[in-house]
Amino acid sequence: MASNEEILAGLAEIVNSETGLDEADVQLDKSFTEDLDIDSISMMTIVVEAEEKFEVKIPDEEVKNLKTVGDAVNFIAGAQA
Amino acid sequence: MMARKVVITGLGATTPIGGDVPTLWENALKGVSGAATMEDSWVEEYDLPVTFAARASVQPSEVLTRPETKRMDPSTQFAVVAAREAWADSGLSKDDVDRNKLAVAFATGIGGVWTLLNAWDTLKEKGPRRVLPMTVPMLMPNGPAAAVSLDLGAAGGAHTPVSACASGTEAMHVGMELIRAGKADVVMVGGAEAAIHPMPIAAFSSMHALSRRNDDPAKASRPYDVDRDGFVMGEGAGALVLESEEHALARGARIYAELAGSSVTADAYHITAPDPEGLGATRALKAAMYDGRIQPEDVVHVNAHATSTPVGDKPEYTALKAALGDQLDNVLVSATKSQMGHLLGASGAVESVLTTLAIYHRKAPVTINLDNQDPEIPLNVVTGAPADLPAEGSIVALNNSFGFGGHNAVVAIRSI
């Protein structure tokens, strides 16, 4: 099971490969849409890749609640448990 | 009213014999082969009957960013690489042209075949959830045209001519018509293809279109040679900036040549076999010449379609003879697929780049592997070393492209 730090690092890697953003910019308090300028198609790609990487399920209805990177890290950590 | 004159002011290419235009031209004059044995595990896995191809010498991943390669099918990646080079080469800046008068005509033969088949594999192996949301915009055949339009901010329409191996040359025709009709001042035209994937290779093999010279890939593409046994699959893209002469002169652009005439016809004969009399091709040649007010004696060079298939090379000769008559004896023919293989929907665009450079430098590139010329195809083929075209006066070169479906496209390029 991945720690929160490992989940953050893994998400940063996925965001970087999808958008080109620096991994260092992917911080817990950053909003996917406001701060990282991630559109809905990119967000869905990130979700699908995160599901595969962390072996979790992130239901579509949950995605709209993942406003910040921290929300996503917490959800994935919880889903792993 | 005289139609507006169309000129060529920018060139771009990424091909098996050069990742940019200067390298492509240098190698085309030298005479090299871009074909090699494929190292991919799937060649053995599927026991493919053809084990070689002509891969682009510079892969887009070496030039584009990771997000760009991730969100674009390889065919679109090639298109963007070539179009960026052509745009930079033209010297245009976005302020030089009204974005509503800047259009795109970017062709492909097959489109996003890698994306389509990867997504199908993902669906079967991992289920629908894993099929990425960018799959549709990546696989659609208008992907290259759309990406180039987005990249340039070209809002004057983005067209996708699709006519198999005639597509790239048909894009030239479409671009020319847009400028002549006054609908655009500048058009980025081109063609892109990335089909070196086991499925298209299996499919082209099963129709016996591909050479099976697995033991000697560099010698496999041999247009007009008696031992030709099929084409060699290539990949890449070519791009040209077409511009109204008025617009080019007003900004003091370097003009390579005039796109003097173009034509598209259909054989209406057979879905894959060329008309043995070359009637559709003859009509296309004559119509392109008529369109450009070109007489047979003006024509000094042809970049031939010449794919190296046993049945395809001869009808093109028949058509050239019918269109040019005795002048054909004075025409220097280059079959550049001997070097870079067949880039399918991109071939007409890359060959238009080469034809433009042939006119601009007054030099015809080399045909390789012509050891024993088919006596039924008595063309003056440029072999060994590049040949000089007439140093003085107005000269014209023709570029032919033909595609499955009976598509014929011809462009005539004239010196300035």
Side-chain angles (χ1 to χ4, degrees), chain B residues 387-411:
Chain B
D388 290 333
L389 300 176
E392 302 290 326
S394 171
I395 55 171
V396 171
L398 304 173
N399 174 29
N400 293 337
S401 295
F402 313 122
F404 284 161
H407 304 278
N408 308 294
V410 176
V411 291

Side-chain angles (χ1 to χ4, degrees), chain B residues 254-394:
Chain B
R254 178 262 332 270
I255 297 174
Y256 283 107
E258 178 194 2
L259 177 54
S262 70
S263 164
V264 169
T265 67
D267 280 355
Y269 170 81
H270 186 274
I271 191 68
T272 55
D275 177 342
E277 303 294 317
L279 294 178
T282 304
R283 279 187 292 117
L285 280 159
K286 287 184 171 174
M289 289 165 64
Y290 179 80
D291 186 45
R293 295 174 172 79
I294 293 159
Q295 301 301 317
E297 51 273 24
D298 301 330
V299 179
V300 297
H301 171 58
V302 171
N303 188 306
H305 186 60
T307 61
S308 173
T309 61
V311 295
D313 292 1
K314 172 116 193 300
E316 184 177 19
Y317 163 72
T318 308
L320 284 167
K321 187 71 188 165
L324 297 174
D326 292 343
Q327 173 63 16
L328 189 55
D329 297 341
N330 305 317
V331 171
L332 294 167
V333 177
S334 299
T336 46
K337 287 186 183 77
S338 61
Q339 296 196 43
M340 68 179 100
H342 190 352
L343 275 64
L344 310 180
S347 64
V350 174
E351 286 153 21
S352 289
V353 169
L354 289 173
T355 311
T356 303
L357 290 170
I359 287 292
Y360 185 65
H361 295 294
R362 294 184 179 245
K363 224 172 238 316
V366 167
T367 305
I368 61 168
N369 297 332
L370 185 55
D371 298 328
N372 193 1
Q373 190 165 348
D374 187 335
E376 292 185 15
I377 312 178
L379 289 166
N380 281 327
V381 184
V382 181
T383 58
D388 290 333
L389 300 176
E392 302 290 326
S394 171

Side-chain angles (χ1 to χ4, degrees), chain B residues 69-77 110-123 131-140 194-195 197:
Chain B
T69 55
K70 208 170 158 224
R71 300 191 81 160
M72 297 191 282
D73 180 80
S75 59
T76 298
Q77 296 171 29
I110 301 182
V113 66
W114 269 102
T115 298
L116 176 66
L117 295 174
N118 281 346
W120 174 235
D121 286 343
T122 302
L123 174 63
V131 175
L132 291 172
M134 278 300 284
T135 302
V136 171
M138 284 172 67
L139 71 81
M140 60 195 193
H197 174 287

Side-chain angles (χ1 to χ4, degrees), chain B residues 197-278:
Chain B
H197 174 287
M199 196 287 283
I201 289 175
F204 279 113
S205 295
S206 78
M207 70 196 303
H208 288 270
L210 295 179
S211 167
R212 300 197 178 197
R213 201 178 285 259
N214 292 326
D215 56 344
D216 199 359
K219 299 273 185 220
S221 187
R222 40 197 317 117
Y224 308 136
D225 191 273
V226 287
D227 294 322
R228 66 190 186 275
D229 73 329
F231 74 79
V232 174
M233 181 98 86
E235 62 176 4
L240 302 92
V241 174
L242 304 185
E243 197 165 352
S244 78
E245 184 188 43
E246 198 183 4
H247 196 273
L249 290 175
R251 69 180 183 91
R254 178 262 332 270
I255 297 174
Y256 283 107
E258 178 194 2
L259 177 54
S262 70
S263 164
V264 169
T265 67
D267 280 355
Y269 170 81
H270 186 274
I271 191 68
T272 55
D275 177 342
E277 303 294 317

Side-chain angles (χ1 to χ4, degrees), chain A residues 18 20 42 49 52 58 60, chain B residues 67 70-71 126 129-130 133:
Chain A
E18 175 64 16
S42 283
E49 291 186 351
E52 187 151 358
I58 308 174
D60 281 351
Chain B
K70 208 170 158 224
R71 300 191 81 160
K126 299 177 178 171
R129 177 73 172 166
R130 293 285 185 271

